Amino acid sequence: MMGRRKSEQGQLFYAFDLDAVVPEDHQVRQIAAVLDLSWVRGELAPHYSHTGRPSIDPELMIRMLILGYVFAIRSERALCREVQLNLAYRWFCSLGIEDKIPDHSAFTRARNERFREHDVFRRVFERVVANCIKADLVGGTGFAVDASLIAADANKCRSTPGDEWSRDIDPATVERAVQDYLANLDNPAWGAASDVVPKFVAPADPAAQWTGALRNAAFFAYADNYLIDVKFGIIMDVEASRAIRQAEVGASQTMIERTEATFGIKPEWLAADTAYGSAPNLHFLVDQKDIAPHIPVIEKSQRDDGTFSRSDFTYDAEHDVYVCPNGTILRTNGRLRDDGMYAYYSRVSDCKTCSFKLRCCAKTPERKITRHQYEAARDVARAVAKTDAYEQTRRDRKKVEMLFAHLKRILRMGRLRLRGPAGAQFEFTFAAIAQNLRRLAKLTFRPPDAAVPRVA
Ligand code: SF4
């Protein structure tokens, strides 16, 4: 006999315990246990009027956004649908079975208005990092830094040649992403990062950088910069910047200073790839921050044609001279060049009779050696690269790359949804919150050893 549902009429009364239907080991329970947003309403209260219609609860919106990034739901429209239907998501957001879900348009308004004024997303990120520190997941000794390119919401078909696009635009006539870029023209991470005119500009999102850095088809991108603690790969800071090296190095310095100011943590050493091995950056780390640079030095003086390189000349710090392979002296005129270098010259009379002339300066009457004003900091990095610890820190550096791989593959952050510096910063900050929460929840509930305590 063909069965039939007991009743085709809607049930009038339900006895439904939402808490009972969410499995004990569901990830939302673990995330909820390590996430404290009880402070949000108090901190945002001054930004809300005491009269008028009640707004959507800001804590609810932040919880929904966190859900979206933790479970890789990339659109706010889809997020609202998922929370509407998924009981575990409703439980995480403290919504009852019949509670209404906010409209997706409310997120755009809140993001661009009240939340932005208070920088509430940054506060959420810092609170999550503070919880990771409390749970003893941050060693504070060794950090690693890196940047990854994330495609912008801009495409070549709607771009303009760089030399045909002008910054002289009335901000009142353009969209928010362009206004945001125009407001950041003096910012070293954005407009002031480089004077080079890019090949193409996306008029709808001029902060996006046209780049061919991945050696396949060029595209518009932003750089997502992470500063991590290598003990468990906790992201200590995150910063959006233009996708060029100068901006990424500037972002790394901003993150190091901000981590020190916010959490009182400055690492003993920092691991990074060659992109961070410029003399000014090594000077910042060694001379200003007293951080050991586990970073390959950018070397342009090495010759591979069999002639003497600068490394074949010995620097005498006491007398500020170089000694050549023939034992004669190269002196400087003491003038600092625009590129931050001092030049040292041999004497023509010495070179004229030297048996090494062809291997040293065959085409010039004397030999010139340059030395950067921050060469001492470069020497520190070269010395670090010869230590045993350097081999280990090179491996530790891979933890940032793994986080970026996780970001793109698991959290599906291969392309940004939002435009402009603020849009990129919002997306990168929430992605970093999601990655830290996942790591904190995992290590709290399944610690790698008994030493990792639970978050109070
Ligand atoms: S050519 Fe001049 S600088 Fe070079 S090794 Fe000979 S003396 Fe020294």
Side-chain angles (χ1 to χ4, degrees), residues 53 84 108 141 356 374:
R53 267 176 51 206
Q84 172 81 28
T108 311
T141 309
F356 294 130
Y374 303 135

Side-chain angles (χ1 to χ4, degrees), residues 308 313 323-330 346-348 350-361 365-367:
F308 292 141
F313 293 69
V323 181
C324 77
N326 194 35
T328 63
I329 303 291
L330 285 78
S346 63
R347 291 197 328 189
V348 176
D350 289 335
C351 298
K352 212 168 174 179
T353 55
C354 176
S355 57
F356 294 130
K357 179 90 171 66
L358 288 178
R359 283 187 65 196
C360 188
C361 49
E366 85 272 80
R367 177 66 191 256

Side-chain angles (χ1 to χ4, degrees), residues 143-154:
F143 282 5
V145 72
D146 203 356
S148 184
L149 299 187
I150 307 289
D153 182 23

Side-chain angles (χ1 to χ4, degrees), residues 154-156 158-166 181 197-210 220 242:
N155 67 51
K156 169 85 181 348
R158 296 188 184 160
S159 68
T160 307
D163 52 6
E164 290 177 18
W165 187 81
S166 167
Y181 176 67
V197 176
K199 194 170 177 187
F200 295 103
V201 170
D205 190 1
Q209 180 77 32
W210 179 254
F220 286 105
R242 272 175 74 185

Side-chain angles (χ1 to χ4, degrees), residues 398-456:
K398 305 284 178 210
K399 290 181 180 174
V400 202
E401 291 167 16
M402 285 159 63
L403 279 166
F404 285 132
H406 178 269
L407 180 75
K408 290 175 182 174
R409 290 195 196 136
I410 310 298
L411 302 191
R412 294 169 49 206
M413 185 88 153
R415 185 182 174 97
L416 290 172
R417 282 190 302 113
L418 305 177
R419 291 174 172 169
Q425 187 65 48
F426 168 84
E427 291 222 57
F428 295 159
T429 303
F430 255 98
I433 291 170
Q435 287 188 294
N436 273 350
L437 278 174
R438 288 173 69 123
R439 183 64 51 98
L440 177 60
K442 183 177 168 192
L443 292 173
T444 303
F445 287 88
R446 275 177 290 155
D449 58 55
V452 180
R454 292 191 169 217
V455 178

